[in-house]
Amino acid sequence: MGYLQKIRSTTDSWDEVTAPFIALGIFEEGTLTSTGNDIDKVLQGQISKAYSLGDIKGKTDEVTLFYHDEKRIAVIGLGKKDKFDAEGARRAAATASRTAIQRKIGDICVENFDTEFVQAIAEGITLGSYQYFDFKTDDEDCFDLKSALVMTENKEAVHRGSVYAQGVCYARDLENAPGNHTTPSRLAESAAEISQAGGMKLTVFDRDEFTEMGMGGMAGVSAGSDEPPKFIILEYYGGEKDEKPKVLVGKGLTFDAGGISIKPAASMDEMKYDMCGSGVVLGVMKAVSVLKPNMNIVGVVPSTENLLGGKAYKPGDILKAYNGKTIEVLNTDAEGRLILADGLSYVSKHYDPEYILDFATLTGAVVISLGHITTGIMGTDEALLDRVRQSSKETAEKVWELPLWDEYCEQIKSKVADVKNVGEARQAGSIAAGAFLKEFVQEGIPWCHFDIAGTAWGKKDSPYYYQKGASGETIRLVLNLMGV
Ligand code: BES
Ligand code: ZN
Ligand code: ZN
């Protein structure tokens, strides 16, 4: 399966647990957690001896193994005690999963590090268990973690953490799969799976339907591809009938060759990840389908490839989006904003959203400004941006706001149409994209755009990011923000 499906909680003590791998923590100051102290006594002080001799330093990501009967005791470094937080716990738990998998140990037990960060621990165990080998035919190296226990009474936090992280892993699988597998049809199938499990309503418009409806952005971008494009809508009604829905829109560009304004060949394969915005929407809806919260949520995924061909749209073409605004296309590689224009107009018209959040691997420029560390955010509503920042802190998924000031909004005005799909050459590219999207969100609806081009993949390998592949970042942030 590639990741852990379920975590259980236990109030048994470490010596009553049958798992052959017990993970506990040690701080840089040398303090062991309570389970650690108990085990140290049974091991006749070996752990504290290793610390005093300097073989254990307690630094983050450090692991030292000890042995008792048939059990491995993994002592995991937690860093400085006064800096230890939910992210530290998440990371340490992920280290436990990774260590066990490397040794082909299928069942683990992780203590709660004497903290309340139980949800983060369950997230870390699951995220750390993630591996991607769907296309390996020789399965010798393919070993999955089978079960995990967390030493806590808080079953609910264990369940929530496990479901959040499974939403992330579900999205990672879709994102890591190549463009010939994760097609718009495949995204629609995933949406169908999720809708069935969660009692959601699914609507999928195909090329003829969305063209007829006036989605000129979708029609233009998809014109050069024979792979059937889809405009996917998932509606979940768990709240009161009159309660405004929270709306998510995600760029589902399953392969971006750039179109007629073709991209260079180097690293073009990475453009299979150009659907990671849709991965966020589907990952969140996957978790919603399990947790079934009391609220209304709508997820929309405009999905197509961006290729070249005799029917492909061209620089200079003018398209009309779903809200009636005309767009001069000056670069066919700035296609994400064109399909989002239809997505954002559609949800503005058909729902009365509490807020709209959109997710897109939208600009190479955001990778230049914020690297693979931080997601660029832009929006129109200070209160919503504050909530995003708060959830960012709570989930350790970093965001930074870029200014959507009027001077930038001027830069996307066109001489021949209402707007053009690029700003000034080599300047503020991520902001120009945000300014463009703003034109398609109805005024008055709180809205926040997440440019995840840097953070959706290619992050440094760490206990819970897998080999520079898809990260699933911002899924946990959104679940936290919505209060799922
Ligand atoms: N999908 C790309 C953005 C991207 C590029 C993400 C590199 C991650 C890494 C997007 O469709 C795109 O090509 N944007 C152009 C816009 C430009 C033509 C105004 C870009 O960023 O170069
Ligand atoms: Zn592009
Ligand atoms: Zn793109």
Side-chain angles (χ1 to χ4, degrees), residues 251 256 263 271 274 331 333-337 361-365 367 421-422 453 457:
K251 173 179 173 182
D256 182 12
K263 285 184 181 295
M271 284 297 119
D274 210 18
N331 189 318
D333 197 12
E335 84 300 332
R337 63 197 77 181
T361 48
L362 207 59
T363 65
V367 194
N421 77 333
V422 296
W457 79 94

Side-chain angles (χ1 to χ4, degrees), residues 1-9 19 21 90 93-98 100-101 105-110 118-134 143-150 158-173 286 290 463-464 466:
M1 189 67 196
Y3 55 93
L4 190 63
Q5 297 301 301
K6 191 170 163 45
I7 307 181
R8 286 179 302 120
S9 55
F21 183 102
R90 190 179 291 114
T95 302
S97 291
R98 284 259 175 122
I101 289 170
I105 301 164
D107 308 284
I108 65 171
C109 174
V110 182
V118 174
Q119 182 181 328
I121 290 170
E123 288 171 5
I125 292 173
T126 308
L127 295 172
S129 77
Y130 182 82
Q131 301 171 89
Y132 186 72
F133 28 60
D134 283 8
F143 181 86
D144 274 329
L145 196 61
K146 283 168 204 67
S147 82
L149 275 178
V150 181
V158 170
H159 181 59
R160 172 165 285 113
S162 156
V163 173
Y164 271 36
Q166 281 181 53
V168 175
C169 295
Y170 181 87
R172 287 179 179 179
D173 272 353
K286 171 78 184 166
V290 180
Y464 67 75
Y466 180 70

Side-chain angles (χ1 to χ4, degrees), residues 101-412:
I101 289 170
Q102 277 159 10
R103 285 167 180 74
K104 295 199 167 38
I105 301 164
D107 308 284
I108 65 171
C109 174
V110 182
E111 65 152 345
N112 64 6
F113 307 124
D114 295 343
T115 67
E116 301 298 307
F117 308 133
V118 174
Q119 182 181 328
I121 290 170
E123 288 171 5
I125 292 173
T126 308
L127 295 172
S129 77
Y130 182 82
Q131 301 171 89
Y132 186 72
F133 28 60
D134 283 8
F135 292 91
K136 291 275 190 195
T137 56
D138 175 359
D139 55 10
E140 202 160 273
D141 291 330
C142 305
F143 181 86
D144 274 329
L145 196 61
K146 283 168 204 67
S147 82
L149 275 178
V150 181
M151 295 168 81
T152 177
E153 287 176 351
N154 194 346
K155 278 193 179 128
E156 207 242 305
V158 170
H159 181 59
R160 172 165 285 113
S162 156
V163 173
Y164 271 36
Q166 281 181 53
V168 175
C169 295
Y170 181 87
R172 287 179 179 179
D173 272 353
L174 282 172
E175 295 163 356
N176 284 325
N180 61 335
H181 285 259
T182 294
T183 57
S185 306
R186 174 74 186 86
L187 294 182
E189 279 164 23
S190 291
E193 278 165 30
I194 293 168
S195 74
Q196 269 174 13
M200 303 177 191
K201 181 179 172 203
L202 173 69
T203 311
V204 182
F205 296 125
D206 64 17
R207 193 193 299 267
D208 288 345
E209 288 166 319
F210 65 64
T211 306
E212 171 73 25
M213 288 162 69
M215 295 192 181
M218 274 296 286
V221 176
S222 64
S225 164
D226 289 338
E227 189 65 50
K230 307 279 174 194
F231 188 92
I232 305 161
I233 306 158
L234 268 175
E235 293 166 280
Y236 170 78
Y237 295 108
E240 297 296 319
K241 263 212 165 93
D242 57 352
E243 199 178 299
K244 292 182 174 199
K246 307 171 198 313
V247 176
L248 313 174
V249 181
K251 173 179 173 182
L253 220 295
T254 58
F255 189 77
D256 182 12
I260 299 294
S261 317
I262 191 169
K263 285 184 181 295
S267 306
M268 204 204 266
D269 58 294
E270 292 187 9
M271 284 297 119
K272 70 171 185 179
Y273 293 120
D274 210 18
M275 43 60 68
C276 285
S278 67
V280 174
V281 174
L282 294 174
V284 168
M285 294 310 264
K286 171 78 184 166
V288 167
S289 77
V290 180
L291 293 172
K292 299 196 170 67
N294 298 326
M295 59 182 81
N296 300 330
I297 309 169
V298 176
V300 169
V301 171
S303 181
T304 174
E305 296 180 327
N306 183 26
L307 300 186
L308 306 76
K311 292 190 187 141
Y313 79 135
K314 304 169 291 296
D317 284 359
I318 295 179
L319 310 174
K320 188 183 264 196
Y322 188 71
N323 70 349
K325 287 195 183 173
T326 54
I327 307 167
E328 181 188 13
V329 176
L330 288 177
N331 189 318
T332 62
D333 197 12
E335 84 300 332
R337 63 197 77 181
L338 301 175
I339 65 170
L340 286 173
D342 287 332
L344 293 168
S345 314
Y346 183 88
V347 298
S348 295
K349 177 167 176 195
H350 294 281
Y351 302 97
D352 179 16
E354 177 189 335
Y355 52 71
I356 301 174
L357 310 177
D358 80 71
F359 308 89
T361 48
L362 207 59
T363 65
V366 85
V367 194
I368 306 292
S369 48
L370 300 174
H372 294 289
I373 315 275
T374 305
T375 293
I377 56 167
M378 283 155 259
T380 45
D381 187 275
E382 265 316 304
L384 178 61
L385 288 166
D386 280 344
R387 288 176 65 189
V388 169
R389 279 186 279 262
Q390 182 58 31
S391 292
S392 162
K393 280 203 191 96
E394 287 173 21
T395 55
E397 297 194 315
K398 292 188 162 65
V399 300
W400 195 256
E401 188 189 359
L402 301 173
L404 264 190
W405 291 325
D406 292 348
E407 292 86 338
Y408 296 109
C409 297
E410 283 304 310
Q411 296 187 349
I412 48 111

